[in-house]
Amino acid sequence: SQQGEEDPQALSIQEGENATMNCSYKTSINNLQWYRQNSGRGLVHLILIRSNEREKHSGRLRVTLDTSKKSSSLLITASRAADTASYFCATVVTQGGSEKLVFGKGMKLTVNP
Amino acid sequence: SQTIHQWPATLVQPVGSPLSLECTVEGTSNPNLYWYRQAAGRGLQLLFYSVGIGQISSEVPQNLSASRPQDRQFILSSKKLLLSDSGFYLCAWRPWHGRRDNEQFFGPGTRLTVL
C-alpha cells in the first residue's frame, strides 16, 4: 500500500534555483527518509529525520517534518545539473511485528544547465 | 566498508522461462535483506524480505519466490516468467543490530525485460 506521496510528481528548474519536494504520509512514523535515484540506478539514502525532529540539514539539503500534518519537505538549494534524478520519500510501517520501509512513487527533478 | 552486488545488470527473457537474480552483500553479518520491484515511472514495491538464513517473508502473492541460502546471499527466482514480471529489480540491505533508523542500502539493480 502507498504510504508516502511526493508532490509534485515532476519538477523542472534552472541551475542555481532551489527545488522543493513535498511528501505526505498516512500513519504515525518513527522517522521519514529521503532517497535519490539516478536513471537506471539503485537508490541512495540522502537524509533521515526522526519524528521528534522538525528540521534537519545536510549540505545543500534541508528536510522539514510536520507530524501534525503528516508531511515532509525536501529542499535542495542552489541546484546543479547533477541533482537531476528521481527523489523518493519513505516511511517505516510496522506490520505483523516487522518493520518495513514503504516508498512513495517518487518525484522526477530535472535541473537544466 | 559494506558493498552490495546484483547480477546480472540486464536480462531479456522469453515468457515462460525461469529466472534467477542474485544479490550478495559484503562487509557485514546477518543483514536484513530486501527485494523490490520498480515498474517504469513507479515507486518501489516490496516483494520479499529476510531477517536470516532460510527466513523469507513474502509481501505480494505472485509467481516469484526468494531464497536465502547463505547469510549474505539473497536470490529471486521464478519458474515461469510472465510479461508483467518486467521491471527494475532492486536488492537492499540494512543492519540487523536493532537500529531504529531503518536506513537501507541499495544495489545497482537488474533490468528485466520479458518478451
Side-chain angles (χ1 to χ4, degrees), chain A residues 33 35 37 50 98 100, chain B residues 38 49 59 100-101 104:
Chain A
Q33 303 175 33
Y35 287 78
Q37 183 182 33
R50 295 186 175 83
S98 299
K100 308 179 186 70
Chain B
Q38 185 178 30
Y49 68 94
E59 287 296 298
R100 298 292 298 178
D101 291 352
Q104 292 185 13

Side-chain angles (χ1 to χ4, degrees), chain A residues 46-102:
Chain A
L46 293 177
I47 194 167
L48 178 152
I49 186 165
R50 295 186 175 83
S51 59
N52 61 351
E53 297 175 315
R54 291 296 168 261
E55 186 172 313
K56 198 165 184 179
H57 297 254
S58 177
R60 293 184 295 112
L61 304 179
R62 181 171 81 98
V63 171
T64 62
L65 179 65
D66 187 336
T67 53
S68 66
K69 295 181 180 178
K70 291 187 169 57
S71 67
S72 172
S73 67
L74 172 67
L75 169 67
I76 303 175
T77 60
S79 64
R80 305 166 182 168
D83 293 329
T84 295
S86 292
Y87 292 82
F88 296 84
C89 66
T91 57
V92 175
V93 174
T94 301
Q95 287 180 346
S98 299
E99 292 185 342
K100 308 179 186 70
L101 205 54
V102 180

